Amino acid sequence: MRFLALISGGKDSMLVAWLMSKRHELACLGTIIPASELSYMFHYINAHLTLFQSLAAELPICVAKSSGVKEAELEDLKGLLKLSLIHI
């Protein structure tokens, strides 16, 4: 199975992506850049590092922006998943 790994730029999300890649094919990385550091669902602090992580891993990355509004963040995630369909 091919999958997209949603990463935040931190070590934990990259570790999980790597562990999952041992059993399934990691097709691309995905990240959401929240407009607010107070985002309910998405990490803000290291999100700017995900491009460098994708380059180091030699994987494509799909990036979407989020308004950071709690009720709208799930729709932002759905938009990222639609964008990533070309890689999966």
Side-chain angles (χ1 to χ4, degrees), residues 11-44:
K11 64 184 183 324
D12 296 335
S13 59
M14 285 304 292
L15 175 62
V16 171
W18 178 75
L19 289 172
M20 286 293 297
S21 74
K22 299 300 175 197
R23 293 184 177 250
H24 303 285
E25 183 184 350
L26 177 52
C28 74
L29 302 175
T31 193
I32 295 189
I33 311 286
S36 168
E37 60 187 49
L38 301 175
S39 171
Y40 180 73
M41 286 182 63
F42 306 111
H43 252 291
Y44 180 82

Side-chain angles (χ1 to χ4, degrees), residues 5-79:
L6 184 62
I7 61 168
S8 65
K11 64 184 183 324
D12 296 335
S13 59
M14 285 304 292
L15 175 62
V16 171
W18 178 75
L19 289 172
M20 286 293 297
S21 74
K22 299 300 175 197
R23 293 184 177 250
H24 303 285
E25 183 184 350
L26 177 52
C28 74
L29 302 175
T31 193
I32 295 189
I33 311 286
S36 168
E37 60 187 49
L38 301 175
S39 171
Y40 180 73
M41 286 182 63
F42 306 111
H43 252 291
Y44 180 82
I45 297 171
N46 293 324
H48 65 284
L49 299 175
T50 57
L51 175 61
F52 300 111
Q53 291 171 322
S54 74
L55 292 171
E58 298 180 346
L59 288 167
I61 187 166
C62 295
V63 179
K65 293 187 178 184
S66 173
S67 63
V69 176
K70 182 178 178 180
E71 293 77 22
E73 287 185 322
L74 187 55
E75 291 304 314
D76 298 332
L77 178 58
K78 288 178 184 177

